[in-house]
């Protein structure tokens, strides 16, 4: 099967492209290289351009009329930047996605898999959230994702568009062959910061928030290996129509996580075990906007998508460390 992957030069998109290939499918990449590195495209079929460029989309589908599904991952994704640049975030994540979806309907290519985020969820008492749990998107970035979920649901109800919306939890690690991974120079996510502290690039790892209402006072997340996340996309494109038949709706939302909550202190303990050394720690109050967190109820992913995560948190940490050692060779910077 041929699959269009927007944002296929990015971290998750390039890993998903590889998982599609390994499952016997052909990814077609559309990416503006706004952030994704050219090298992650490798030798795949590639269109460099914008998701809102309708002429380009028409060309992609006329040159590849056998594309059966679009995985829409292209987006701006940095939460603090979204607070500074709300216009750019709403323009790129919302307005441009609408152009893409409308053009897909017009081109008669209605199957869309959309990358949404667990950052939409409100805090619940036991931290386990299913797809109908309350939402409280806490940043402009998260709100762009929620707006697109609503737009997709409404468009699917009114047009031929069909949508599977995947709410990703917290991806970590690299693809198994270390060909792509986190490429930002200054990691803002917790595992990247742990790697930097462990390698001496920062003097310590700061736990932000130690008095939260979790079992040890630190934030809780559901860390999913990016390779498992990529496999969820393979499952979704392969069973796209069956998934929507099973839920008897033109669109649906599915959590993609491991089903286990891990606190920051537990993550640090796992990291030290895998790394084999202690990491210097510091404690600080939560940063503004930091969420206490959530982990996924994964019943729907198992029952409807037929997918569950296989890799452990230790696998994800080992993979992130291995990518950290390898990435200069691929990216040209540490
Ligand atoms: N990384 C995470 O922790 C996480 C968590 C939940 C959801 N998501 C979602 O998953 C998707 C992929 O995330 P990622 O971590 O791989 O991000 P990424 O930044 O590595 O990839 C996004 C890609 O989209 C491209 N892009 C951006 N705007 C574009 C446009 N207008 N036209 C064409 N290409 C454009 C960028 O160049 C980049 O290659 C995003 O939609 C993100 O919101 C990511």
């Amino acid at each position: 099967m041929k699959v269009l992957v927007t944002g296929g030069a990015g971290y998750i998109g390039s890993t998903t492209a590889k998982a599609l290939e390994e499952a016997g499918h052909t990814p077609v990449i559309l990416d503006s290289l706004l952030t994704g590195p050219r090298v992650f495209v490798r030798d795949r079929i590639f269109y460099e351009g914008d998701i809102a460029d309708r002429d380009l989309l028409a060309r992609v589908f006329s040159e590849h009329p056998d594309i059966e599904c679009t995985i829409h991952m292209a987006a701006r994704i940095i939460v603090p930047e979204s607070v500074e640049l709300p216009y750019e975030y709403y323009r790129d994540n919302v307005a441009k996605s609408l152009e893409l979806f409308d053009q897909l309907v017009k081109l008669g290519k209605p199957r869309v898999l959309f990358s949404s985020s667990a950052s939409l969820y409100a805090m619940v008492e036991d931290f386990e959230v299913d797809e109908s749990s309350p939402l409280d998107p806490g940043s402009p970035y998260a709100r762009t994702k929620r707006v697109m979920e609503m737009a997709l649901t409404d468009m699917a109800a009114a047009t031929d568009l069909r949508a599977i919306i995947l709410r990703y939890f917290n991806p970590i690690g690299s693809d198994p062959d270390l060909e792509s991974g986190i490429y930002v120079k200054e990691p803002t996510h917790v595992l990247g910061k742990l790697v930097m502290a462990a390698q001496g690039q920062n003097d310590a790892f700061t736990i932000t928030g130690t008095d939260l209402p979790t079992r040890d006072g630190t934030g809780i997340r559901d860390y999913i290996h990016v390779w498992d996340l990529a496999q969820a996309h393979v499952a979704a494109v392969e069973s796209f129509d069956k998934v929507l038949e099973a839920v008897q709706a033109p669109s649906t939302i599915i959590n993609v996580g491991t089903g286990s909550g891990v606190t920051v202190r537990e993550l640090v303990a796992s990291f030290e075990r895998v790394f084999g050394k202690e990491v210097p720690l510091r404690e600080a109050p939560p940063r503004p906007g930091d969420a206490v967190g959530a982990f996924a109820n994964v019943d729907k992913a198992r029952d409807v998508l037929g997918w569950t995560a296989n890799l452990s948190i230790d696998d994800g940490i080992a993979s992130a460390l291995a990518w950290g050692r390898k990435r200069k060779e691929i990216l040209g910077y540490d």
Side-chain angles (χ1 to χ4, degrees), residues 6-14 30-37 40 47-52 72-78 91-93 96 114-119 141 144-145 166-172 181-184 189 229 233:
T6 77
Y11 168 47
I12 303 170
S14 57
L30 169 60
D31 197 300
S32 63
L33 304 183
L34 174 70
T35 55
F40 280 7
Y47 293 84
E48 182 176 344
D50 199 284
I51 52 164
H72 178 37
M73 296 201 185
R76 290 180 180 258
I77 69 153
I78 303 166
R91 180 193 61 200
D92 289 8
N93 294 4
K96 289 185 175 183
F114 177 65
S115 309
S116 190
S117 165
S119 64
Y141 163 74
T144 66
K145 291 288 168 184
L166 300 180
R167 285 189 183 146
Y168 307 165
F169 281 69
N170 302 83
I172 58 170
I182 297 280
Y183 59 85
V184 286
H189 59 286
L229 178 57
H233 294 80

Side-chain angles (χ1 to χ4, degrees), residues 19 26 34 53 86 141 180 210 237 269 287 309:
T26 305
L34 174 70
D53 182 342
Y141 163 74
S180 62
T210 52
V237 297
R287 294 163 304 182

Side-chain angles (χ1 to χ4, degrees), residues 47-69:
Y47 293 84
E48 182 176 344
D50 199 284
I51 52 164
D53 182 342
R54 286 178 180 257
D55 292 341
L56 175 61
L57 288 165
R59 183 155 72 85
V60 170
F61 283 96
S62 79
E63 289 174 2
H64 302 280
D66 47 345
I67 293 175
E68 291 184 38
C69 180

